[in-house]
Amino acid sequence: MAATIREIAEKTGVSITTISQILNGKGERFSDLTRAKVLKTAKEMSYKPNFFAKNMIVSHTNTIGMIVPEVTDPFFSQMVKGAEDYLNKEGYMIMLCNSSNDKAREDLYVEELLHRAVDGLIIASPNILLSGVIARLEEKRAPYILLDRQRNPRPEGNIAIDDFKGGFMATEHLINLGHTNIGIIISDTSFYNVHERYEGYLACMKKYNLVVEESWIVSGDQTMNAGYVATQKLLTESITAIFATNDLMAMGTYRAALEKGLNVPNDLSVIGFDDIELSEYMTPPLTTIRQPIYGIGEIAAELLLKNIQNPTEKLENRLLDISLINRSSTKSIDNK
């Protein structure tokens, strides 16, 4: 366990005040011998400063609050890692809160993090923040970045991908393989990103003059189980391919197909969205639309620190690239 200043004082016989000044770089008036003695003992005893107490003097804690909807979701865990790796390199620590998609808990965490004097917040939310929460952030002059799937409109600091384009790309990939009966699994379309992926699917089907049956559109939450249940419904239809609007739902699709005795991709082509780390380890590896999940966390941290260091400077918006990752879960319908 790291030593305290009091323990160093007991070992060296030097006063607590003197030790505190030396360890904080303000010990010029003390002899070289005293400074060397204190610093050597502090090192031997693995002393670490009380970072919180030290920085409260200048109103900084070098702590960033981060709120995510579900920390066990591979998407958000990858995003958190991106933010954490960037912040750690800059001398900051993350205080992570899991809202479990609960809006009331999310609002409470914002208040609690402000109470704990974090230097800024990264809020990944599927919800529209209450005006009172925004007002509280502004009142405290707390820098914050919203990773909110475009649900809270603001003119700066937006980190986004073109979800419409991604939905179009996924659908067009299946059409180019000869599929015309393409089912889609969505979640709540009030979420901006899901709505845009769905609209991309519809636009692509329309471009190629393909009819979309209402029964080919099935919704659920953004989980493996939702993908599993939705696929069970879709497999009662005459579809040959499924576009799952996130990779977790695509995993559920695999299980439903297996239970039905179908082979992916020989009997059913499946494409996902996100490219979470597990995607390439599925059997077969999942074809998906890649967005830079880790990079989103990194950029959120970068923009937040810029805002902390230069609060009057306008933050730029970032539109990040997406790409089709063609693996083994999709196949030409003509090559069965």
Side-chain angles (χ1 to χ4, degrees):
M1 182 179 295
T4 64
I5 287 180
R6 184 176 297 279
E7 289 168 335
I8 295 172
E10 291 172 354
K11 185 167 182 178
T12 61
V14 178
S15 74
I16 290 175
T17 301
T18 298
I19 291 172
S20 177
Q21 290 185 35
I22 291 172
L23 292 177
N24 284 288
K26 300 177 181 178
E28 295 86 356
R29 66 190 181 90
F30 303 109
S31 70
D32 292 343
L33 182 63
T34 299
R35 289 202 304 272
K37 182 180 181 180
V38 168
L39 294 172
K40 182 174 182 291
T41 303
K43 184 177 181 181
E44 290 172 349
M45 298 181 72
S46 301
Y47 169 77
K48 288 188 177 180
N50 184 329
F51 205 68
F52 182 83
K54 176 182 175 183
N55 285 283
M56 278 303 290
I57 297 171
V58 291
S59 301
H60 288 296
T61 62
N62 280 50
T63 304
I64 299 299
M66 187 166 186
I67 304 172
V68 297
E70 185 50 70
V71 73
T72 61
D73 185 322
F75 181 91
F76 290 108
S77 61
Q78 204 168 330
M79 182 188 292
V80 169
K81 180 168 173 52
E84 185 174 43
D85 286 351
Y86 185 91
L87 290 168
N88 286 172
K89 287 188 296 185
E90 299 296 324
Y92 285 77
M93 297 290 291
I94 278 184
M95 188 177 293
L96 182 63
C97 299
N98 179 41
S99 70
S100 298
N101 281 298
D102 184 315
K103 182 169 173 37
R105 182 183 292 187
E106 182 179 277
D107 294 341
L108 175 63
Y109 277 144
V110 170
E111 186 64 34
E112 288 297 322
L113 288 168
L114 291 175
H115 179 67
R116 284 162 174 75
V118 296
D119 289 343
L121 294 93
I122 298 172
I123 306 170
S125 172
N127 302 306
I128 297 175
L129 294 184
L130 294 176
S131 58
V133 174
I134 297 291
R136 185 77 171 128
L137 288 165
E138 298 295 340
E139 174 195 342
K140 286 285 188 177
R141 296 183 179 178
Y144 63 96
I145 297 291
L146 298 180
L147 301 175
D148 57 3
R149 307 167 192 180
Q150 305 289 307
R151 297 209 71 198
N152 291 277
R154 59 201 187 285
E156 61 179 288
N158 291 303
I159 304 169
I161 64 165
D162 190 336
D163 286 287
F164 178 93
K165 178 182 176 182
F168 193 100
M169 286 168 61
T171 310
E172 188 169 53
H173 172 72
L174 296 172
I175 292 172
N176 287 339
L177 291 173
H179 297 278
T180 56
N181 294 12
I182 302 169
I184 184 170
I185 305 174
I186 60 176
S187 59
D188 186 347
T189 54
S190 66
F191 293 170
Y192 176 87
N193 64 327
V194 177
H195 173 76
E196 289 297 292
R197 293 171 196 182
Y198 171 59
E199 289 295 323
Y201 159 83
L202 292 178
C204 189
M205 295 291 277
K206 182 177 181 180
K207 175 185 174 181
Y208 287 92
N209 298 314
L210 298 176
V211 174
V212 177
E213 301 290 344
E214 188 175 341
S215 56
W216 295 356
I217 305 164
V218 184
S219 63
D221 57 30
Q222 296 183 330
T223 63
M224 286 183 279
N225 185 63
Y228 170 73
V229 173
T231 302
Q232 288 180 316
K233 295 177 182 176
L234 286 172
L235 292 180
T236 64
E237 303 294 321
S238 57
I239 60 162
T240 61
I242 291 178
F243 169 29
T245 52
N246 79 14
D247 290 345
L248 282 182
M249 293 191 291
M251 292 179 186
T253 294
Y254 273 42
R255 179 184 169 188
L258 179 65
E259 289 183 357
K260 192 78 171 176
L262 300 177
N263 175 271
V264 175
N266 292 330
D267 302 312
L268 179 72
S269 284
V270 180
I271 189 168
F273 202 114
D274 289 336
D275 195 32
I276 60 175
E277 190 174 3
L278 292 172
S279 298
E280 66 176 307
Y281 296 100
M282 294 166 65
T283 305
L286 179 66
T287 297
T288 188
I289 302 298
R290 172 181 290 168
Q291 62 169 312
I293 308 169
Y294 180 93
I296 290 170
E298 268 190 318
I299 292 168
E302 176 195 344
L303 292 181
L304 183 62
L305 292 194
K306 280 185 178 180
N307 197 211
I308 290 170
Q309 294 158 6
N310 302 287
T312 60
E313 186 177 311
K314 185 175 181 179
L315 292 174
E316 69 267 30
N317 294 318
R318 299 277 186 91
L319 182 65
L320 307 183
D321 291 335
I322 57 174
S323 57
L324 172 70
I325 305 302
N326 190 2
R327 296 195 177 107
S328 308
S329 65
T330 54
K331 183 178 179 182
S332 171
I333 199 168
D334 300 324
N335 293 331
K336 285 191 174 183

